[in-house]
Amino acid sequence: MILFILCSGISYSVMSRNAADKGVEEKTFRTRILARSVFIDFLGYFLIMLNGPFAVVLTAYAVLFIMGLLLKNCSDKMLMIVSGISFIVSPVVMIMGMSLFSGSAMLQDIAGGPLSAAALLPIFTAGMVIGRKDLKNLKRQMLYVITGILMVVVIKLLSAYVLPHLSETVMNIMMETQNYSEINEYAPFPQNVYPISWHMICVAAPQNGSTFTLILGMGVSLIVLGGMCLIERKIPVILKPFSLAGQTALTLYAIQIILGWLLALLGAEYDFIGSIFLGDVIVAFLTTALGMLLVRWKDVLIEGAMRKFEHLFV
């Protein structure tokens, strides 16, 4: 998830730079981004309504696109500052939003949990910063890999020796100071608000949105990014299939949600692939192959529909 959002931030800056190089007016670019955000938002809500077994991040993704418009004209230094501060502030806002916006689907997309825009903003803005740099620079590629390794090592050490004790301490304080009696959802605000789960800040668990989780995911993503750039430098042909599949990423994303929904309707276990030897590798291979096939029809799939929707306003 974090790698996906990081690449989204990178592509956002690349898209902005390409539009400027082609002489696209600022108003036109903003209109396209807003139209794309609305399209992705409604697609996300449609997939959510299926109530399938997978979480849908597209609605938060759409909000991030709009947030990007507010930051697009910031200097590199300012954008780096915003990204750095958000690594600390965003998890706090996200955890508070989980309590305040519980049961409010639209507000939850903004700041109501680990898959909200507020939770993912640090990674997205970091991607925007990276997208402004020269990704073909060898020293920069090596820097990404080394920085990623250091981030992973530090967070893993903290997770092993520091965070469990810190989380336990915070949990004990919460139990002593907060009232955990049953919440009446129909009571007037703020009596219907659930207690804030502050202990989540001290945990580095998959998709929990804490600062430590974001840094750990960011580290792994930088290793992957730097490694892929180094491979592209030496053996670019290896990345060609993934480049083709990436052109239908939105369609592939929707397919996995719909497939999970269909399996749930049939009463089948959607995660049966996990019990198969090298199941993840098989999924990666099949997804890449499907993407390479779908790229032939990208103009009539979801990507094509999104472009047609944009043209309605531009």
Side-chain angles (χ1 to χ4, degrees):
M1 181 66 70
I2 291 180
L3 177 61
F4 171 71
I5 296 299
L6 181 71
C7 292
S8 299
I10 294 173
S11 65
Y12 195 93
S13 287
V14 172
M15 182 170 55
S16 176
R17 183 173 63 247
N18 289 342
D21 292 341
K22 294 178 181 179
V24 177
E25 295 182 359
E26 180 76 8
K27 181 179 179 181
T28 301
F29 178 78
R30 289 179 177 274
T31 302
R32 286 179 176 174
I33 292 298
L34 288 172
R36 181 167 297 194
S37 300
V38 170
F39 181 89
I40 293 175
D41 200 38
F42 276 98
L43 175 62
Y45 280 119
F46 168 74
L47 295 175
I48 288 173
M49 285 191 297
L50 297 179
N51 201 25
F54 306 124
V56 179
V57 75
L58 290 183
T59 50
Y61 186 50
V63 176
L64 286 173
F65 262 56
I66 296 175
M67 289 182 174
L69 287 177
L70 303 176
L71 300 170
K72 186 177 75 70
N73 295 326
C74 291
S75 65
D76 291 358
K77 182 178 180 180
M78 179 57 67
L79 193 56
M80 290 178 65
I81 292 174
V82 170
S83 182
I85 294 176
S86 63
F87 268 94
I88 300 173
V89 175
S90 289
V92 176
V93 174
M94 175 272 298
I95 290 174
M96 293 177 65
M98 289 180 65
S99 173
L100 296 174
F101 302 147
S102 176
S104 177
M106 295 188 68
L107 293 177
Q108 281 184 322
D109 296 340
I110 300 174
L115 296 182
S116 64
L120 300 172
L121 180 63
I123 304 299
F124 188 80
T125 51
M128 290 180 65
V129 174
I130 294 173
R132 294 183 177 187
K133 308 299 181 181
D134 181 12
L135 288 173
K136 295 185 178 181
N137 183 282
L138 178 60
K139 291 183 178 180
R140 194 173 300 278
Q141 295 169 353
M142 294 298 299
L143 178 63
Y144 291 148
V145 175
I146 295 172
T147 302
I149 292 174
L150 291 175
M151 294 169 75
V152 170
V153 170
V154 169
I155 298 301
K156 284 295 185 181
L157 289 174
L158 288 175
S159 299
Y161 300 106
V162 178
L163 295 184
H165 304 291
L166 186 59
S167 178
E168 183 179 358
T169 300
V170 174
M171 178 68 77
N172 291 335
I173 295 174
M174 290 170 55
M175 295 298 292
E176 295 174 358
T177 59
Q178 295 187 8
N179 180 17
Y180 283 90
S181 59
E182 186 175 351
I183 301 297
N184 181 5
E185 295 182 354
Y186 301 100
F189 181 86
Q191 296 176 8
N192 64 340
V193 172
Y194 287 88
I196 300 175
S197 304
W198 293 115
H199 66 285
M200 289 182 60
I201 295 180
C202 311
V203 179
Q207 294 188 11
N208 84 323
S210 73
T211 297
F212 303 104
T213 297
L214 294 177
I215 294 176
L216 178 62
M218 181 74 179
V220 174
S221 298
L222 286 176
I223 295 172
V224 174
L225 175 64
M228 292 299 100
C229 289
L230 290 171
I231 291 175
E232 194 273 340
R233 174 184 292 273
K234 298 294 184 181
I235 322 174
V237 68
I238 292 180
L239 300 183
K240 186 64 175 179
F242 305 105
S243 174
L244 292 173
Q247 296 180 38
T248 58
L250 193 59
T251 297
L252 291 172
Y253 185 92
I255 286 176
Q256 72 158 343
I257 305 295
I258 294 173
L259 181 60
W261 169 67
L262 290 174
L263 289 174
L265 280 181
L266 297 173
E269 292 291 336
Y270 65 88
D271 57 352
F272 70 93
I273 195 72
S275 61
I276 301 176
F277 179 67
L278 296 179
D280 290 342
V281 176
I282 295 173
V283 169
F285 175 80
L286 293 177
T287 303
T288 304
L290 178 61
M292 293 175 65
L293 291 174
L294 291 178
V295 75
R296 297 174 178 270
W297 301 284
K298 65 178 182 179
D299 290 334
V300 296
L301 296 173
I302 295 180
E303 282 76 13
M306 181 169 61
R307 284 191 290 272
K308 291 177 182 177
F309 186 79
E310 290 178 16
H311 292 329
L312 296 176
F313 304 92
V314 179

